[in-house]
């Protein structure tokens, strides 16, 4: 299993770069960041510095959207970074959340998401693309390779992911919902004539390594409660479209938002978010990876058995350094044990 870390582009930017550098030294293969240009700093500028200060990690947004940037600009950003640093980028993309809602916008339609992926993929991979009635191409781009991973929750978005995505991003770590989502993606891939195994699977969720005491568990839950609120924004959209009767989506995904009353994007992705009190402890335990190292490894192996190729660790809490270190020193070696020199 690959491991990624998800960072916020909070100033100072050099601290984000340093976390990325440390993650690589500890064995992480991917560095993702939020892409919300008003709430945080511009990610692509930071990516350039991360790539310049690391050797192997792949970087990209979790996730960008087709609404806040012209699609040709997004493709150019990736193709430029690939030319500079040798195909070490990845594009996580979805319909849009904080980046569009803060400006009173709305997530794009799935049709627009599909069209944007076609344009970004073609241009960023050195091919021609039809865009606004023109046939376009980057004359300076040679050899750029950009995988595009789609973030999705609802049935139609999962189907789109299976049909055209290079990968699937599920932003929660609940094994039952993960199994249901992966099955939907793989079925859509097979129905589209693709090999379902060609769609890579990434589960992204906060992880907090505790000392095993009840007090530390309670503290960790409060530090990660924000994540249930963030996921709730997307789930609310899905419920509004499909209803909450469990016919189209698992009740494990929809039930908990019944107490959701509002959301303040000024507190988006932050520990202590006062608009996430509706998220119960059991949802935090299901959606996040909280507990001692043994519990972390147990959950990760369960996710791996379901077909998860990468776990991306959201690092938005008060114990960033120790959690990252614990994963590098204790979790990663147990999930991916080193090979013996002599059988």
């Amino acid at each position: 299993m690959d491991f990624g870390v998800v960072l916020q582009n909070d100033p100072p930017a050099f601290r984000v770069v340093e976390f990325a550098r440390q993650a690589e030294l500890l064995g992480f293969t991917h560095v993702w960041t939020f892409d919300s240009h008003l709430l945080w700093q511009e990610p692509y500028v930071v990516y350039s510095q991360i790539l310049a200060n690391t050797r192997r990690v792949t970087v990209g947004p979790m996730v960008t959207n087709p609404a806040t940037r012209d699609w040709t600009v997004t493709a150019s950003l990736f193709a430029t970074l690939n030319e500079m640093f040798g195909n070490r980028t990845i594009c996580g993309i979805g319909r849009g959340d904080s980046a569009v809602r803060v400006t009173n916008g709305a997530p794009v339609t799935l049709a627009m998401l599909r069209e944007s992926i076609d344009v970004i993929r073609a241009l960023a991979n050195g091919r021609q693309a039809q865009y606004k009635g023109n046939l376009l191409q980057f004359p300076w781009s040679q050899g750029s390779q950009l995988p595009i991973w789609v973030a999705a929750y609802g049935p139609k978005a999962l189907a789109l992911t299976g049909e055209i995505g290079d990968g699937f991003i599920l932003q929660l770590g609940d094994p039952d919902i993960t199994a249901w989502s992966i099955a939907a993606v793989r079925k859509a891939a097979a129905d589209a004539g693709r090999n379902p195994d060609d769609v890579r699977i990434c589960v992204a969720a906060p992880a907090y390594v505790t000392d095993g005491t009840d007090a530390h568990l309670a503290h960790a839950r409060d530090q990660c409660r924000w994540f249930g609120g963030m996921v709730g924004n997307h789930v609310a959209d899905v419920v509004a479209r499909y209803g909450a009767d469990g016919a189209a989506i698992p009740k494990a995904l929809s039930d908990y938002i019944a107490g959701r009353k509002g959301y303040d994007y000024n507190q988006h992705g932050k520990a202590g978010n006062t608009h996430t009190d509706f998220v119960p402890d059991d949802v935090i335990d299901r959606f996040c990876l909280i507990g001692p190292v043994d519990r972390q490894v147990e959950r990760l192996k369960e996710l791996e058995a379901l077909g998860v190729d990468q776990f991306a660790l959201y690092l938005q809490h008060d114990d960033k350094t120790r959690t990252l270190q614990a994963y590098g020193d204790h979790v990663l070696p147990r999930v991916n044990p080193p090979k013996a020199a002599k059988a």
Side-chain angles (χ1 to χ4, degrees):
M1 179 185 281
D2 285 338
F3 284 85
V5 61
V6 187
L7 304 171
Q8 285 177 343
N9 288 298
D10 285 317
F14 62 76
R15 186 167 184 254
V16 181
V17 175
E18 181 59 22
F19 271 122
R21 195 181 71 82
Q22 289 298 321
E24 180 180 56
L25 292 175
L26 290 167
F28 288 76
T29 59
H30 290 71
V31 174
W32 306 84
T33 76
F34 287 61
D35 179 8
S36 196
H37 59 290
L38 286 171
L39 298 179
W40 299 288
Q41 292 180 315
E42 170 57 41
Y44 292 91
V45 178
V46 180
Y47 295 158
S48 186
Q49 288 300 304
I50 292 174
L51 290 166
N53 285 274
T54 56
R55 293 174 174 84
R56 297 179 180 177
V57 291
T58 297
V59 305
M62 187 173 284
V63 293
T64 193
N65 69 86
T68 54
R69 305 177 199 274
D70 184 275
W71 307 342
T72 63
V73 172
T74 299
S76 182
L77 288 165
F78 283 111
T80 300
L81 290 172
N82 282 342
E83 192 278 329
M84 293 173 68
F85 299 104
N87 289 329
R88 291 169 54 200
T89 66
I90 187 168
C91 178
I93 192 168
R95 294 176 57 229
D97 183 30
S98 63
V100 294
R101 295 188 195 271
V102 169
T103 58
N104 291 329
V108 303
T109 64
L110 288 176
M112 182 176 289
L113 177 61
R114 182 188 294 270
E115 185 181 358
S116 72
I117 291 171
D118 289 343
V119 171
I120 293 168
R121 172 182 281 138
L123 292 176
N125 286 283
R127 303 192 300 272
Q128 293 180 327
Q130 288 282 351
Y131 183 65
K132 295 184 178 180
N134 300 298
L135 188 61
L136 306 176
Q137 186 171 10
F138 297 143
W140 45 266
S141 177
Q142 295 183 353
S144 174
Q145 298 176 21
L146 177 70
I148 297 182
W149 292 21
V150 185
Y153 291 103
K156 291 183 180 179
L158 293 170
L160 180 149
T161 303
E163 290 163 6
I164 66 172
D166 297 307
F168 164 48
I169 296 171
L170 177 63
Q171 290 166 301
L172 55 83
D174 177 85
D176 291 338
I177 298 173
T178 298
W180 174 82
S181 303
I182 291 175
V185 168
R186 287 179 169 166
K187 180 181 184 303
D191 290 346
R194 303 179 66 193
N195 181 348
D197 293 335
D198 287 345
V199 184
R200 307 289 289 173
I201 308 294
C202 174
V203 161
Y208 199 115
V209 180
T210 70
D211 61 10
T213 64
D214 290 343
H216 204 194
L217 173 62
H219 176 77
R221 284 170 173 162
D222 285 341
Q223 285 291 304
C224 296
R225 202 173 302 275
W226 65 268
F227 184 69
M230 186 188 81
V231 173
N233 296 332
H234 300 287
V235 174
D237 284 344
V238 175
V239 169
R241 178 179 293 269
Y242 296 100
D245 59 5
I249 57 176
K251 293 186 73 63
L253 181 60
S254 61
D255 277 359
Y256 86 100
I257 69 164
R260 179 180 182 270
K261 293 182 173 62
Y263 192 81
D264 182 1
Y265 277 92
N266 288 314
Q267 301 180 47
H268 186 62
K270 295 180 180 179
N273 187 325
T274 58
H275 287 73
T276 59
D277 291 343
F278 71 93
V279 182
D281 287 350
D282 72 293
V283 166
I284 302 169
D285 293 344
R286 289 191 293 110
F287 283 17
C288 306
L289 274 67
I290 298 177
V293 167
D294 288 348
R295 177 56 177 155
Q296 302 278 336
V297 172
E298 180 185 354
R299 282 287 298 278
L300 288 164
K301 286 187 174 293
E302 186 176 6
L303 292 171
E304 185 178 36
L306 294 174
V308 174
D309 300 295
Q310 180 184 155
F311 176 69
L313 185 165
Y314 276 95
L315 205 61
Q316 285 73 50
H317 51 60
D318 65 355
D319 210 2
K320 297 178 179 63
T321 299
R322 198 179 71 86
T323 297
L324 200 63
Q325 192 78 42
Y327 257 69
D329 290 346
H330 303 293
V331 176
L332 269 66
R334 288 179 57 181
V335 177
N336 299 322
K339 296 179 181 178
K342 184 177 180 179

